[in-house]
Amino acid sequence: MPALPFASVFLAANIVEIFERCGTIDKTIVLGLGVASLFAWTVMFGKYFELKRLRMLNYSFESHLQDQRSLLDLPESFRNKRAIPYADVFADAVEGYWRAAAIEKEQGLSNPRARVEHAENAIQRALSRQTLRYESSMIFLASIVSGAPFVGLLGTVWGVMEAFSSVAGQQSAGITQLAPGVSGAMLATIAGLIVAIPSVFGYNLLLGHTKAMIMELENYSSSLADRIELETH
């Protein structure tokens, strides 16, 4: 058997042995961190592919929209794609504009500037809503990043305390009696770091993508407001 696979098998068996020596609290913490790690990886991969898919849909919709000569008179099919962030902002803007126009018609008024302001307000509301959509699940990852090491440290401190308590009543206590309990306690800190380290890299990567997409959304919203204002005048 090659040296590397043999070392991996030995290390895995050693970790299992150390885990079996852990106390109930440490075992619970290690297993809980394992579940948190599984959720974190699921969220990271899910969020990455979600942002990638939304960016492609946004670019496709914006490209299609740029080919249109007039935005305010486009058919309703353009406003039925709410799952696309850019389309959601566009739909709110156009609906806000025509809603203000309908009210003005009932009152016998004509105020193009007021209609544009209604459209801009609708754009801002949609922008805030889509920003929250982009940032969803990020709080969970941030909590894992900041909380996992402390949870692991708690398990270690608790395990060390139990190890010392178990030998406190013995006549002679040395490293031989302390080592099994302390090594089991240290496993909790290792588990916390194993959870936190990949999560912090994944969180920073996703945060960068999210900020870039929010900036793109803001630029698109500003361009959309300008086009509506130009069409009104």
Side-chain angles (χ1 to χ4, degrees):
M1 181 181 291
L4 187 58
F6 178 78
S8 301
V9 172
F10 177 78
L11 180 61
N14 195 30
I15 290 176
V16 171
E17 183 181 344
I18 293 173
F19 177 77
E20 290 175 349
R21 291 200 297 263
C22 292
T24 303
I25 299 298
D26 281 334
K27 286 182 178 178
T28 303
I29 288 176
V30 171
L31 291 175
L33 288 170
V35 173
S37 177
L38 180 61
F39 276 109
W41 280 100
T42 302
V43 170
M44 284 189 291
F45 277 108
K47 192 66 181 177
Y48 174 79
F49 287 112
E50 178 193 7
L51 292 177
K52 183 178 180 180
R53 181 180 61 85
L54 290 179
R55 173 172 271 171
M56 292 177 61
L57 291 173
N58 285 339
Y59 288 169
S60 176
F61 183 83
E62 184 178 22
S63 176
H64 194 29
L65 206 62
Q66 287 175 349
D67 296 334
Q68 311 302 316
R69 299 187 61 181
S70 174
L71 299 183
L72 296 174
D73 297 325
L74 289 177
E76 190 175 350
S77 59
F78 277 79
R79 303 197 299 271
N80 292 336
K81 303 176 181 179
R82 292 282 186 171
I84 305 174
Y86 281 16
D88 186 54
V89 174
F90 169 77
D92 273 18
V94 173
E95 289 174 3
Y97 180 92
W98 288 116
R99 187 162 51 246
I103 294 174
E104 289 179 7
K105 186 176 181 180
E106 292 177 357
Q107 297 175 348
L109 303 174
S110 179
N111 190 346
R113 182 57 197 167
R115 295 197 295 270
V116 172
E117 289 179 356
H118 275 79
E120 290 174 349
N121 291 337
I123 288 174
Q124 290 302 315
R125 289 191 295 270
L127 178 61
S128 299
R129 184 171 62 250
Q130 292 303 324
T131 298
L132 290 175
R133 181 183 180 185
Y134 285 160
E135 294 176 344
S136 64
S137 303
M138 297 298 291
I139 294 178
F140 173 79
L141 284 179
S143 301
I144 292 293
V145 168
S146 59
F150 290 104
V151 174
L153 181 60
L154 171 63
T156 295
V157 173
W158 191 280
V160 170
M161 181 182 67
E162 286 187 337
F164 277 102
S165 298
S166 65
V167 300
Q170 298 181 12
Q171 293 276 339
S172 61
I175 189 66
T176 305
Q177 288 77 25
L178 283 174
V182 173
S183 63
M186 295 299 293
L187 185 61
T189 294
I190 295 173
L193 293 175
I194 289 175
V195 174
I197 291 173
S199 297
V200 71
F201 286 108
Y203 174 79
N204 288 332
L205 176 66
L206 291 173
L207 185 62
H209 283 311
T210 301
K211 287 184 176 180
M213 289 184 66
I214 290 174
M215 184 175 297
E216 291 172 357
L217 183 64
E218 290 174 348
N219 291 336
Y220 163 79
S221 299
S222 177
S223 175
L224 179 63
D226 289 344
R227 285 193 64 179
I228 291 176
E229 185 173 3
L230 289 173
E231 287 187 23
T232 303
H233 293 82

